[in-house]
């Protein structure tokens, strides 16, 4: 494990002693808000600050009294998995008036609160900024009224504001993902997957309305995630005559043996004249023009409800801690900021810059500048729209470029949810680029046996939502079979290779690169997409399939913890998969609210185990009823799951009893999460475009064939912090621990102190990687675009 750099700043240098922080949720609720509240409270208490809940949003701030309560560590227990917001949220007209804000200021000063953490949408955050700007004037008025004394004005002279965006619509500019969006996508995809089975039975067309009065993100991403036939969003109204085009598309799909059609409509969908497009209008249109049996489903508030996804819990926990850091570091001259996510990194952005750009989007839509509105939404939105158009709408054969290149795609290693979405994307983008696509069954084992066949556009219809690997996948490496594989590549004239898989896929590409010296057949562009639940591939922060596995772990942990409700105190020992990589145990532990997570990368001994037991015993005596301990399957060969279970059972006698659970292969199964569907879809599309470019660059006209033997023609496409990067696999060798099949440095190890702090351990927290205040950039350069993740 990488040792801390001496230049790194640790959290001991920042203290919240003598400070009071208040947290409130305002506007519409969103899943994950409770995780954010929990993180703010526990991090605030950890640094020595007083922390207050403000119940019922700004209304509670105005009304004061029992609405503003001091928070304790125990008061946020068991809320991580709860949807909505347990401290309540309300729209408040009174806060919009000067008198209302005066009352609110008085209530805060009485309790010495000068640090506000506001979780809400752009309206809530704009209100907070106005309150901050008026603060000194409000205090002056309160002195004149005799409500506070002059000393209070001096003592509480500045109000500091940090915002977190909680909105299922993902309509706030400056952040890739807002709290609640991923969970809302989970609700939508669950419904769409269920509807598809009944639609297929009866050969029906379904028109689904999803939320998004001013923003089409949910509609667009859910359409991408389920392979919908048509999508309608407010930012990009369809061209005139869209009705006929849509009916032609639906009819063509049915003619191609597809038994169902799915049309997704954002509630704010409009045409080019700003006239609403309703679900009933679309239903009547389809029935009238095509005579298809058509039904409408309006999802409504189902999208706001339910338990938060693993992604939202982790996002909200990271942002909550970041918000406390930002409040501790702020000065009287620091502008109000929002903490948000860019790629895989925390950033801080000036609040009003984000709000102004968000308002510009609506203005552009009102003025029918739709292309500009899409760009203002950010590169993530633009990517989603481009990818959807590329995959959903097939060009006529006459319009396709003719490349005469053959590209093979295969899965290698263990199955991971999202592999099929990646294959579908590769096939359709490849066909759109004019290539002939070939599917290889059963990985390299199928390759040398000749299990290779051409795959067409329609062959991959409906693959996005399927779990596992429909092509079949094996762990067989190519080194022993290079002669036979080379022969098959000659026979099928394969000009490029796309390999989708985990550590075996990475090793395979290294072996094929080495084989170039003896077999010219491998002197072709080759690209690997990381797809493994273990997330143990060097060169990438995230892998296809890891999010689905995390959700499976978190959902099971929630159920296991709930099974102990109403019983005596109980601790659960849960074993996760991951080989020697502790990603699932650590990040799953953070999302499920674990008390400890044992992993190979952070060695532990009997003293650590004893300290953990004692810590848990102390907590059990004073507050919590249920404990959760995660253990990575290969964390230690001697301290097995059974050993840890027996140790906790013995040492916890009289305080708690123990249960153990090995999650096993249920972490590998199930339908892919929305994140994995979209991540797989979009990085696969990007990889195919890279392959097309390399094929043109490496085609030798004199020889009439492709010849690529440089390091940069054999790459892994991975997400690194904010960037999506094509990295030559040979250059990643030095970053790899081949014995334990893990990267030598792993970003998520920085989340471990965060998990410990939220579980009430005293530990050092490295703040060198925390967000710095930046400015909103209208369009980030392409090479810095990691927004492809969602």
């Amino acid at each position: 494990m990488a040792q801390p750099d001496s230049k790194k700043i640790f959290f001991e240098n920042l203290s919240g002693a003598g400070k009071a922080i208040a947290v409130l949720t305002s506007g519409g609720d969103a899943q994950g808000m409770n995780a954010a509240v929990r993180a703010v409270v526990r991090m605030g208490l950890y640094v020595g600050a007083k922390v207050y809940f403000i119940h019922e949003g700004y209304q509670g701030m105005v009304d004061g009294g029992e609405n503003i309560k001091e928070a304790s560590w125990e008061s946020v227990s068991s809320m991580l998995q709860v949807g909505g917001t347990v401290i309540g949220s309300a729209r408040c007209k009174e806060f919009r008036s000067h008198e209302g804000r005066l009352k609110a200021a008085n209530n805060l000063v009485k309790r010495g609160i000068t640090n506000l953490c506001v979780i809400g949408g752009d309206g809530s955050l704009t209100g907070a900024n106005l309150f901050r700007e008026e603060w000194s004037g409000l205090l002056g008025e309160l002195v004149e009224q005799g409500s506070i004394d002059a000393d209070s004005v001096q003592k509480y002279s500045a109000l500091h504001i940090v915002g977190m965006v909680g909105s299922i619509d993902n309509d706030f500019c400056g952040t890739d993902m807002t709290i609640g969006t991923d969970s809302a996508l989970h609700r939508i995809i669950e419904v769409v997957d269920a509807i598809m089975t009944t639609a297929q039975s009866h050969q029906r067309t379904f028109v689904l309305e999803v939320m998004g009065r001013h923003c089409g993100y949910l509609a667009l991403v859910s359409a991408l995630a389920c392979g919908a036939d048509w999508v309608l969003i407010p930012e990009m109204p369809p061209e005139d005559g869209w009705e006929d085009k849509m009916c032609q598309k639906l009819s063509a799909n049915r003619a191609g043996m597809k038994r169902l059609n799915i049309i997704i409509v954002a509630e704010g969908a409009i045409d080019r004249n700003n006239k609403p497009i309703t679900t009933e209008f679309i239903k009547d249109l389809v029935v009238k023009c095509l005579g298809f049996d058509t039904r409408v489903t309006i999802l409504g508030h189902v999208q706001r409800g339910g338990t938060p996804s693993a992604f939202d819990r982790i996002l909200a926990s990271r942002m909550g801690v970041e918000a406390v850091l930002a409040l501790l570091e702020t000065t009287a001259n620091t502008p109000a900021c929002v903490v948000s996510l860019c790629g895989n990194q925390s950033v801080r952005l000036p609040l009003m810059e984000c709000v102004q750009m968000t308002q510009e989007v609506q203005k552009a839509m009102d003025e029918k500048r739709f292309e500009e509105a899409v760009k203002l939404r950010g590169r993530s939105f633009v990517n989603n729209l481009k990818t959807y158009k590329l995959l959903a709408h097939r060009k006529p054969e006459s319009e396709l470029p003719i490349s005469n290149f053959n590209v093979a795609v295969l899965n290698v290693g263990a199955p991971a949810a999202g592999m099929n979405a990646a294959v579908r994307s590769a096939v359709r983008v490849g066909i759109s680029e004019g290539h002939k696509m070939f599917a290889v069954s059963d990985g390299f084992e199928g390759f040398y046996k000749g299990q290779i066949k051409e795959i067409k556009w329609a062959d991959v219809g409906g693959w996005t939502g399927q779990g596992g690997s429909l092509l079949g996948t094996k762990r067989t490496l190519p080194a022993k079979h290079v002669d036979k594989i080379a022969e098959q590549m000659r026979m099928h004239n394969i000009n490029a290779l796309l390999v989708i898989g985990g550590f075996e896929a990475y090793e395979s590409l290294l072996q094929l690169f080495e084989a170039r010296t003896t077999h010219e057949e491998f002197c072709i562009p080759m690209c690997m997409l990381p797809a493994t639940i273990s997330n143990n591939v060097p060169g990438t922060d995230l892998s296809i399939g890891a999010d689905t596995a995390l959700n499976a772990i978190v959902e099971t942990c929630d159920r296991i913890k709930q099974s102990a409700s109403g019983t005596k105190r109980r601790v659960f020992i849960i074993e996760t998969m991951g080989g020697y990589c502790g990603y699932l145990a650590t990040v799953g532990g953070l999302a499920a609210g674990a008390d400890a997570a044992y992993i190979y990368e952070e060695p532990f001994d009997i003293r650590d185990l004893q300290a953990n037991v004692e810590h848990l015993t102390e907590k059990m005596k004073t507050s919590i009823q249920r404990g959760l301990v995660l253990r990575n399957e290969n964390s230690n060969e001697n301290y097995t799951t059974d050993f840890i279970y027996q140790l906790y059972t013995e040492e916890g006698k009289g305080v708690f009893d123990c249960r153990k659970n090995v999650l096993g292969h249920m972490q590998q199964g199930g339908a892919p999460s929305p994140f994995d569907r979209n991540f797989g879809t979009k990085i696969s599309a990007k990889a195919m475009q890279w392959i097309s470019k390399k094929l043109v660059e490496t085609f030798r006209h004199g020889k009439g064939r492709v010849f690529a033997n440089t390091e940069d023609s054999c790459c892994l496409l991975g997400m690194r912090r904010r960037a999506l990067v094509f990295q030559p696999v040979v250059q990643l060798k030095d970053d790899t621990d081949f014995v334990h099949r893990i990267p030598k440095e792993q970003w998520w190890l920085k989340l471990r102190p965060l998990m410990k702090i939220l579980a009430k351990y005293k530990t050092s927290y490295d703040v060198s990687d925390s967000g710095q205040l930046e400015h909103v950039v209208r369009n980030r350069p392409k090479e810095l675009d990691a927004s492809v993740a969602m």
Side-chain angles (χ1 to χ4, degrees):
M1 196 173 92
Q3 293 301 310
D5 192 306
S6 58
K7 292 179 185 174
K8 287 181 179 177
I9 312 158
F10 285 88
F11 202 78
E12 284 86 341
N13 302 334
L14 295 165
S15 172
K19 293 191 176 184
I21 298 169
V23 59
L24 71 142
T25 53
S26 176
D29 67 314
Q31 307 97 320
M33 279 184 166
N34 290 324
V37 170
R38 172 181 176 267
V40 170
V41 169
R42 292 194 167 175
M43 193 61 165
L45 293 172
Y46 176 76
V47 298
K50 269 190 174 183
V51 186
Y52 291 86
F53 292 132
I54 299 179
H55 291 270
E56 313 308 334
Y58 288 118
Q59 190 65 56
M61 199 193 292
V62 172
D63 295 343
E66 284 295 299
N67 288 305
I68 305 176
K69 287 182 183 172
E70 191 170 346
S72 67
W73 194 275
E74 292 73 30
S75 60
V76 291
S77 293
S78 302
M79 67 191 286
L80 190 59
Q81 68 273 21
V82 180
T85 164
V86 297
I87 60 172
S89 179
R91 314 271 179 192
C92 180
K93 283 187 180 177
E94 206 174 344
F95 190 75
R96 294 178 189 175
S97 69
H98 185 76
E99 292 73 21
R101 292 193 291 277
L102 194 64
K103 285 183 190 174
N106 189 30
N107 288 326
L108 294 188
V109 171
K110 276 180 185 172
R111 293 162 178 83
I113 298 168
T114 55
N115 296 280
L116 269 186
C117 181
V118 182
I119 308 166
D122 60 336
S124 305
L125 299 178
T126 306
N129 191 62
L130 176 62
F131 190 39
R132 173 182 166 275
E133 287 172 350
E134 290 182 350
W135 183 253
S136 56
L138 293 170
L139 294 197
E141 286 182 53
L142 289 171
V143 171
E144 286 173 21
Q145 290 176 6
S147 301
I148 61 171
D149 55 34
D151 288 346
S152 296
V153 176
Q154 195 68 34
K155 194 175 178 183
Y156 308 119
S157 58
L159 179 69
H160 306 298
I161 303 276
V162 170
M164 281 185 275
V165 191
S167 164
I168 67 165
D169 292 335
N170 203 27
D171 57 354
F172 195 80
C173 293
T175 180
D176 285 348
M177 284 290 276
T178 57
I179 295 166
T181 306
D182 187 65
S183 301
L185 285 169
H186 272 259
R187 298 298 94 77
I188 294 167
I189 294 306
E190 283 162 15
V191 171
V192 173
D193 284 353
I195 277 174
M196 283 173 113
T197 55
T198 180
Q200 200 151 16
S201 303
H202 297 277
Q203 296 194 57
R204 282 186 176 139
T205 295
F206 270 84
V207 186
L208 277 83
E209 182 183 287
V210 300
M211 282 185 166
R213 212 168 347 171
H214 304 294
C215 178
Y217 184 88
L218 288 179
L220 180 56
V221 175
S222 53
L224 199 55
C226 71
D229 298 277
W230 204 266
V231 65
L232 292 154
I233 57 173
E235 291 89 346
M236 186 52 72
E239 300 286 346
D240 292 339
W242 65 272
E243 297 92 340
D244 291 337
K245 286 180 184 172
M246 183 185 78
C247 289
Q248 284 168 14
K249 169 94 189 294
L250 300 181
S251 183
N253 283 352
R254 285 289 177 94
M257 303 304 291
K258 192 176 177 185
R259 291 177 61 85
L260 75 155
N261 301 112
I262 300 285
I263 301 164
I264 295 183
V265 189
E267 62 179 326
I270 50 172
D271 63 16
R272 291 267 155 181
N273 301 309
N274 283 359
K275 183 184 167 191
I277 300 174
T278 65
T279 49
E280 285 300 325
F281 173 79
I282 295 168
K283 176 191 170 182
D284 294 342
L285 178 72
V286 173
V287 171
K288 182 183 169 187
C289 295
L290 300 172
F292 291 170
D293 183 3
T294 306
R295 304 295 162 94
V296 169
T297 300
I298 296 172
L299 270 64
H301 282 74
V302 164
Q303 296 157 87
R304 278 197 195 282
T307 188
S309 66
F311 183 97
D312 272 329
R313 297 183 198 195
I314 296 154
L315 171 68
S317 298
R318 288 177 70 185
M319 295 304 100
V321 168
E322 187 67 35
V324 173
L325 286 177
L327 284 170
L328 291 183
E329 293 170 13
T330 195
T331 65
N333 300 320
T334 311
C337 73
V338 286
V339 292
S340 63
L341 194 71
C342 177
N344 194 30
Q345 193 182 6
S346 304
V347 292
R348 299 177 195 171
L349 299 166
L351 190 152
M352 289 316 293
E353 283 186 24
C354 297
V355 168
Q356 281 156 12
M357 191 178 286
T358 304
Q359 290 167 349
E360 278 182 46
V361 179
Q362 190 56 49
K363 190 181 175 190
M365 285 159 62
D366 293 340
E367 293 173 1
K368 301 184 182 180
R369 292 181 283 117
F370 298 114
E371 297 282 348
E372 191 178 337
V374 168
K375 283 179 186 170
L376 286 168
R377 279 274 179 240
R379 196 166 289 280
S380 171
F381 197 91
V382 173
N383 269 336
N384 285 318
L385 193 56
K386 279 182 181 171
T387 310
Y388 176 76
K389 286 179 177 176
L390 199 60
L391 299 177
H393 304 296
R394 186 181 183 181
K395 291 178 184 174
E397 296 285 338
S398 56
E399 291 180 26
L400 290 175
I402 300 170
S403 74
N404 293 321
F405 292 126
N406 295 346
V407 181
V409 59
L410 68 157
N411 296 152
V412 176
M419 276 182 163
N420 297 321
V423 172
R424 169 185 177 266
S425 178
V427 168
R428 292 196 169 181
V429 173
I431 290 169
S432 298
E433 301 267 326
H435 310 317
K436 192 180 275 191
M437 298 300 296
F438 287 84
V440 182
S441 300
D442 298 334
F444 283 106
E445 190 174 306
F447 212 136
Y448 80 79
K449 289 178 179 175
Q451 294 171 3
I452 305 164
K453 63 175 184 177
E454 189 180 349
I455 188 164
K456 300 288 184 72
W457 184 282
D459 295 337
V460 290
W463 279 32
T464 316
Q466 303 269 2
S469 167
L470 293 171
L471 285 185
T473 181
K474 293 279 177 74
R475 294 182 184 270
T476 309
L477 297 178
K480 293 178 181 176
H481 312 284
V482 284
D483 293 338
K484 288 181 180 178
I485 292 169
E487 186 187 332
Q488 291 295 336
M489 290 182 79
R490 267 197 314 277
M491 281 172 58
H492 293 90
N493 190 27
I494 302 297
N495 308 119
L497 210 54
L498 180 65
V499 182
I500 302 164
F503 203 87
E504 289 91 352
Y506 165 62
E507 289 181 300
S508 298
L509 243 62
L510 284 170
Q511 290 178 3
L512 293 181
F513 181 81
E514 295 297 325
R516 282 177 170 179
T517 55
T518 54
H519 297 78
E520 279 198 358
E521 289 83 357
F522 300 120
C523 293
I524 57 171
M526 294 186 277
C527 185
M528 178 207 157
L529 300 180
T532 166
I533 68 163
S534 303
N535 198 29
N536 64 331
V537 178
T540 187
D541 290 351
L542 296 171
S543 302
I544 299 164
D547 184 71
T548 306
L550 275 178
N551 278 289
I553 292 166
V554 168
E555 196 177 311
T556 309
C557 287
D558 287 350
R559 290 184 180 190
I560 286 170
K561 281 164 77 177
Q562 194 178 37
S563 73
S565 61
T567 65
K568 59 184 178 180
R569 297 182 180 95
R570 183 166 287 169
V571 173
F572 295 95
I573 315 294
I574 312 284
E575 182 181 294
T576 66
M577 290 173 90
Y580 285 94
C581 180
Y583 175 81
L584 291 179
T586 297
V587 183
L590 180 59
D595 297 277
Y598 300 117
I599 61 169
Y600 166 77
E601 293 91 342
E602 194 174 278
F604 58 97
D605 58 24
I606 194 69
R607 289 180 294 277
D608 297 311
L609 290 169
Q610 184 63 32
N612 292 151
V613 174
E614 287 170 4
H615 181 81
L616 203 45
T617 304
E618 199 56 42
K619 279 168 72 176
M620 284 283 188
K621 284 177 181 174
T622 56
S623 56
I624 65 165
Q625 297 293 309
R626 298 183 293 278
L628 187 67
V629 174
L630 269 64
R631 178 190 174 272
N632 165 255
E633 59 184 347
N634 289 343
S635 56
N636 189 295
E637 62 180 336
N638 296 314
Y639 299 133
T640 62
T641 303
D642 279 335
F643 177 90
I644 292 172
Y645 162 67
Q646 286 162 4
L647 178 74
Y648 272 74
T649 301
E650 182 61 32
E651 296 295 320
K653 269 183 182 172
V655 181
F656 59 79
D657 65 1
C658 237
R659 297 286 186 275
K660 66 172 177 175
N661 199 301
V662 178
L663 299 185
H665 281 75
M666 54 88 63
Q667 296 160 84
Q668 236 170 34
S673 67
F675 185 96
D676 279 330
R677 296 182 195 201
N678 291 328
F679 188 44
T681 296
K682 290 196 282 184
I683 65 166
S684 186
K686 196 173 181 74
M688 279 308 302
Q689 287 164 341
W690 176 86
I691 284 172
S692 297
K693 185 176 161 220
K694 286 287 176 190
L695 282 168
V696 173
E697 285 175 8
T698 58
F699 185 73
R700 303 290 167 88
H701 290 279
K703 293 184 177 181
R705 67 183 184 87
V706 171
F707 186 82
N709 65 347
T710 55
E711 287 184 358
D712 69 350
S713 63
C714 183
C715 283
L716 177 148
L717 173 56
M719 182 171 152
R720 283 278 177 94
R721 291 167 71 88
R722 301 193 195 190
L724 271 170
V725 194
F726 288 96
Q727 301 146 98
V729 289
V730 178
Q731 293 176 17
L732 293 171
K733 282 171 84 171
D734 291 341
D735 300 337
T736 310
D737 173 353
F738 284 96
V739 175
H740 298 101
R741 297 158 58 90
I742 52 173
K744 287 179 181 173
E745 287 199 18
Q746 301 183 84
W747 70 273
W748 51 264
L749 287 168
K750 289 180 179 175
L751 297 180
R752 286 188 64 77
L754 176 65
M755 185 189 76
K756 290 174 185 175
I757 287 167
L758 296 179
K760 214 173 183 177
Y761 284 91
K762 286 290 177 190
T763 185
S764 293
Y765 184 66
D766 173 13
V767 297
S768 64
D769 202 41
S770 65
Q772 301 302 312
L773 191 65
E774 302 177 11
H775 290 284
V776 181
V777 181
R778 282 177 181 265
N779 273 313
R780 288 194 291 277
K782 282 187 182 176
E783 65 272 12
L784 291 181
D785 174 35
S787 57
V788 72
M790 280 301 278

